[in-house]
Amino acid sequence: MQIIEPACAEDYRNYYDLRWRILRAPWNQPRGSERDPQDAGSTHLMLVDARGKPLAAGRLHFNTIREAQIRYMAVDIPYQRNGLGSRLLAALEHRARALGAAVIVLDARETALGFYRKHGYQVLGSGHMLFNRIAHVRMSKPLGGAAVQGK
Ligand SMILES: CC(C)(COP(=O)(O)OP(=O)(O)OC[C@H]1O[C@@H](n2cnc3c(N)ncnc32)[C@H](O)[C@@H]1OP(=O)(O)O)[C@@H](O)C(=O)NCCC(=O)NCCS
C-alpha cells in the first residue's frame, strides 16, 4: 500500500471514480458532480494497494497563502475504519505544511465529525448543506511547525 499523486489518465480516472462512488453516487448524483473548477490547481493524493487499486482519495487546495482546505476525503467502503483515512489525512496535512499552510479548514459531513475530531480538528460552526440533505460542519486545525517565510 502506498500514497501516490495521480500521474496518468488512468490514475485520474480511478481517483475521480472513487470520489464519485463514495461521495456522489449514493445521492444519485451524476458522474462529473464529483469534480469542481478548483481541481486543476489542487494537490490530489490517493492510497493504492500493491496492484495500484485505489482505496482512498483526498484533495488539498489553498484558500489563502496560509490557509489550506481539504475536500473529497473518500475511503472505499470495504476498507473504511481500517486506518486508511487517517493515513491519507496525515499525508495531506504533511503536504499542506510543506507548502506553507498554517491552518487547515474543511467542511465535514456530520457523519464524519468523529473522524476529524479524533485528528485534532475543532468545530468552527455550521457549514453548507449539500444536495439539501447532507449537513456539513466547518472545522479547522492549526498546523504546528509551518515554515516561517523570510526568516
Ligand atoms: C470518513 C472517512 C474518510 C474516514 O476514513 P476511515 O479510513 O474510515 O477512518 P479511520 O479508520 O482512519 O478512522 C480512525 C478513527 O476515526 C474515527 N472515525 C472514523 N470514521 C468515523 C465516523 N464516520 N464517525 C465517527 N468516528 C469515525 C474512529 O475513532 C476511528 O477509529 P476506530 O475505527 O478505532 O473507531 C471514511 O470513513 C469515508 O470515506 N467515509 C464516507 C465518506 C465521507 O464521509 N467522507 C468525508 C466527507 S467530509
Side-chain angles (χ1 to χ4, degrees):
M1 223 182 277
Q2 60 172 335
I3 291 174
I4 63 163
E5 281 185 59
C8 60
E10 190 188 350
D11 287 348
Y12 275 106
R13 253 197 318 276
N14 288 335
Y15 169 80
Y16 285 117
D17 179 65
L18 186 57
R19 278 178 28 172
W20 178 74
R21 284 192 291 111
I22 301 301
L23 298 169
R24 294 293 182 266
W27 289 271
N28 299 316
Q29 298 303 307
R31 283 194 188 269
S33 62
E34 77 284 8
R35 305 178 188 221
D36 71 53
Q38 278 175 302
D39 280 325
S42 297
T43 298
H44 305 277
L45 293 184
M46 174 159 85
L47 212 160
V48 297
D49 70 9
R51 299 165 133 204
K53 179 183 164 185
L55 309 179
R59 187 188 91 174
L60 181 79
H61 70 265
F62 276 73
N63 295 325
T64 69
I65 196 164
R66 301 305 249 171
E67 182 185 276
Q69 181 165 355
I70 288 173
R71 287 198 67 188
Y72 300 108
M73 280 289 297
V75 177
D76 206 357
I77 291 170
Y79 303 95
Q80 291 178 5
R81 298 300 269 255
N82 280 299
L84 303 193
S86 299
R87 253 181 91 174
L88 196 68
L89 184 63
L92 289 164
E93 290 176 357
H94 185 267
R95 179 64 66 91
R97 206 178 279 116
L99 293 172
V103 64
I104 293 189
V105 296
L106 53 82
D107 291 319
R109 293 183 179 197
E110 282 185 338
T111 49
L113 256 181
F115 170 71
Y116 293 113
R117 274 213 172 99
K118 180 150 188 172
H119 292 288
Y121 288 79
Q122 291 187 334
V123 173
L124 294 180
S126 55
H128 68 286
M129 186 72 79
L130 185 64
F131 314 138
N132 288 324
R133 274 178 289 177
I134 308 176
H136 283 78
V137 178
R138 174 124 301 212
M139 304 184 87
S140 79
K141 176 178 176 175
L143 294 176
V148 179
Q149 286 177 359
K151 292 203 172 178

